[in-house]
Amino acid sequence: MAPALAFAAPYAGYVMDARTGETLHSENADTPLHPASLTKMMTLYITFEAVQHGEITMDDYVTVSRNAAAEPPSKLGLRQGQKIKLRYLVRAAAIKSANDAATAIGEHIAGSEDAFAARMTRTARALGMSKTTFKNAHGLTLAGHLSTAHDMAILGRHMVYDYPQYYNLFSRISEDAGIRQVSNTNRRFLASYKGADGIKTGYTNAAGFNLVASAQRGDTRIITVVFGGRSTASRNARVVELLDYGFSKAKKRVALNKPALPPYMGNKNLGNVFIAESANPDPEGARGKTIRVVAAAPTRSLRPQSRAGAKGADVAPLVASVEGDIETVLAAVQSAQPVVAQIVATDVAPEASAKPVRRPADLTGVQLASVGGGAGAVVSDAASTPEQEVVTRLSTSGGHHWGINVGRYGNKYEAEKVLLKTSLMESSTLDGSLRKVVGRGGGYDANFVGMTREMADLACRRLQARQVTCFMMGPSS
């Protein structure tokens, strides 16, 4: 790689107060340009989203495709057919900016790189990145694969606040990536600027030297984006200038206003309907898959076909708006009833049970049969064997083994108070769950338990839309 470009790539610069999203500086910031490996921020954002919603786990083994193994450098050095844990691919993509790792991640989540790129673009729109279109998971130059400095700042802000449990990846100087130790492409900047903790570098001939940088000093966090640097050194120098400017211009006392989480849309796009299929087996071992439907509000009630033998099966889909601002999304979710269609392959015939008959109010004149059933024993019509009605028991792949956590508190009373307040705030989705305070680690966890996975997922998303801290707890939590 030459130390400087032979030509000047288009320049763009942007500075944001991450606490509020306020623009502090903008130069060509809405001009679509080549993002290069800044693209991997979206690849990783979707990975964290997929883990959060149970599509995948960090311990999944990913089989490397021929396509992923053939990606040009920078790369981890994956081989076709190799199996490697997802967590190592995430480290390689975030720290080394490995193209083969990014492609393998996208293919594992969506089935193909094209399908993953479509999901990347949908997610970008949901985040408010209106001028961004992704064509691949790694950022190598491709026609139509474009973003802006402003859009990348939006993505960087969501990366900081939406998945703080993973954000520390971007500040690691080196890390074990399973098959080798990898070093951070941004280590020079991280080591030289006070408070710097990320986020991502990018370089191609067409893009120049790009960087999305974030730094925190006290309660102030500034995000700066530079496109089109002429070298690593000149780009970093410009980022330092813009960060210093941002810290000097940012208001000293500002309430933190975190960005709203985008609606979860999963993988598939069928017109205006998005379907996410769980890649994990049911915790109880049932042979099935969970289908989560998110779409524009329907004009009529939708009902899946009943299994053979079922009578009156009534399973309504979970419906939520995927467009508009967070208030629209919240209103749509609040008007929906959380039910998830479960499709389970089974060889067992539906169970039948007899419908009990109410005891007659007046037993006068009714002669009951003797225990021995003698010759003179008489049984009245009211006590005759009732006609049986077959009731089909609908199989599910879930079970009430899930829960949600709404924070850890210093004493049991405070945790109980938060549970009560939350249950009143979100009574429609938390109805039927149990409030439970668990003491651990010097604090008290406020949990709702006894929920299905789908109920826990919906409750958490609605609470997060209200700016309430929440995360799901699985059966093994």
Side-chain angles (χ1 to χ4, degrees):
M1 184 183 297
L5 294 175
F7 63 95
Y11 170 83
Y14 186 81
V15 182
M16 171 191 287
D17 185 334
R19 300 168 298 176
T20 61
E22 179 186 0
T23 298
L24 302 177
H25 168 80
S26 178
E27 183 177 354
N28 300 327
D30 291 314
T31 302
L33 300 171
H34 298 290
S37 285
L38 303 186
T39 299
K40 294 184 181 77
M41 291 168 59
M42 180 59 81
T43 298
L44 294 165
Y45 185 91
I46 291 176
T47 303
F48 303 151
E49 176 191 60
V51 171
Q52 178 75 16
H53 288 85
E55 287 184 67
I56 55 176
T57 75
M58 285 292 184
D59 290 317
D60 279 3
Y61 276 94
V62 177
T63 301
V64 179
S65 70
R66 179 179 180 181
N67 179 48
E71 295 290 7
S74 174
K75 59 193 302 180
L76 181 60
L78 301 173
R79 303 184 308 276
Q80 180 181 354
Q82 178 180 359
K83 295 183 183 297
I84 183 171
K85 281 190 176 183
L86 178 66
R87 69 175 65 254
Y88 295 134
L89 298 177
V90 167
R91 292 173 185 177
I95 296 171
K96 181 177 172 53
S97 196
N99 296 325
D100 52 357
T103 298
I105 290 171
E107 291 175 341
H108 179 68
I109 293 175
S112 72
E113 192 170 18
D114 287 343
F116 188 71
R119 177 166 174 174
M120 294 170 74
T121 300
R122 284 201 309 273
T123 304
R125 296 291 183 273
L127 293 174
M129 301 168 64
S130 60
K131 296 185 178 181
T132 296
T133 301
F134 293 109
K135 298 293 185 179
N136 57 50
H138 43 67
L140 292 174
T141 304
L142 194 63
H145 186 97
L146 299 169
S147 186
T148 70
H150 185 191
D151 280 3
M152 280 296 163
I154 292 173
L155 177 56
R157 184 172 184 242
H158 276 276
M159 188 70 78
V160 170
Y161 292 116
D162 291 359
Y163 298 105
Q165 66 271 41
Y166 299 114
Y167 179 70
N168 68 86
L169 272 170
F170 300 101
S171 61
R172 298 180 189 179
I173 300 302
S174 66
E175 186 56 271
D176 175 20
I179 61 175
R180 57 183 290 197
Q181 195 80 7
V182 293
S183 298
N184 200 317
T185 59
N186 199 28
R187 58 189 179 276
R188 294 181 187 175
F189 171 74
L190 292 171
S192 63
Y193 194 82
K194 179 183 176 182
D197 55 13
I199 303 178
K200 190 71 190 71
T201 62
Y203 168 78
T204 62
N205 283 329
F209 291 82
N210 298 349
L211 178 59
V212 177
S214 178
Q216 183 167 3
R217 294 178 180 177
D219 294 330
T220 305
R221 177 177 290 277
I222 301 297
I223 292 176
T224 291
V225 182
V226 166
F227 276 59
R230 298 181 63 87
S231 67
T232 298
S234 65
R235 175 200 65 194
N236 288 357
R238 179 57 176 159
V239 167
V240 167
E241 291 177 3
L242 292 178
L243 281 171
D244 287 346
Y245 177 84
F247 280 114
S248 69
K249 292 296 183 181
K251 298 173 183 176
K252 300 306 178 185
R253 295 183 180 180
V254 174
L256 176 61
N257 182 20
K258 296 180 181 179
L261 279 169
Y264 172 65
M265 293 180 285
N267 272 334
K268 294 186 179 178
N269 179 5
L270 304 177
N272 66 337
V273 179
F274 302 95
I275 300 178
E277 296 182 1
S278 172
N280 291 332
D282 176 72
E284 296 184 358
R287 293 176 297 166
K289 64 183 179 181
T290 301
I291 297 181
R292 195 178 282 111
V293 180
V294 184
T299 57
R300 60 186 178 85
S301 176
L302 305 176
R303 299 173 186 269
Q305 291 185 349
S306 304
R307 192 171 63 179
K311 301 182 74 175
D314 186 4
V315 184
L318 168 64
V319 180
S321 173
V322 297
E323 297 180 351
D325 59 22
I326 191 62
E327 294 299 329
T328 304
V329 174
L330 180 58
V333 173
Q334 287 176 332
S335 65
Q337 293 299 318
V339 184
V340 174
Q342 303 288 346
I343 303 176
V344 179
T346 178
D347 299 326
V348 181
E351 299 181 29
S353 61
K355 184 177 181 180
V357 176
R358 183 185 299 274
R359 183 179 182 182
D362 185 4
L363 297 179
T364 305
V366 176
Q367 183 178 356
L368 300 178
S370 65
V371 174
V378 177
V379 180
S380 71
D381 290 341
S384 61
T385 303
E387 180 180 356
Q388 290 189 343
E389 178 180 348
V390 176
V391 178
T392 300
R393 184 174 299 162
L394 197 63
S395 174
T396 68
S397 64
H400 295 260
H401 306 291
W402 290 74
I404 63 174
N405 174 281
V406 291
R408 177 171 295 181
Y409 301 92
N411 58 68
K412 187 175 181 180
Y413 171 76
E414 183 66 20
E416 290 174 342
K417 186 172 71 171
V418 170
L419 286 173
L420 178 59
K421 178 181 177 181
T422 306
S423 65
L424 294 174
M425 176 195 308
E426 196 54 52
S427 59
S428 61
T429 53
L430 296 175
D431 184 32
S433 64
L434 300 176
R435 301 195 296 270
K436 184 176 182 180
V437 175
V438 179
R440 62 175 66 174
Y444 293 84
D445 286 349
N447 302 333
F448 288 93
V449 298
M451 307 172 73
T452 65
R453 176 176 172 175
E454 289 70 35
M455 289 292 292
D457 180 28
L458 179 62
C460 242
R461 288 190 287 117
R462 291 178 62 156
L463 289 171
Q464 288 169 345
R466 296 175 183 266
Q467 306 301 314
V468 175
T469 300
C470 177
F471 66 85
M472 291 173 58
M473 304 183 300
S476 61
S477 296

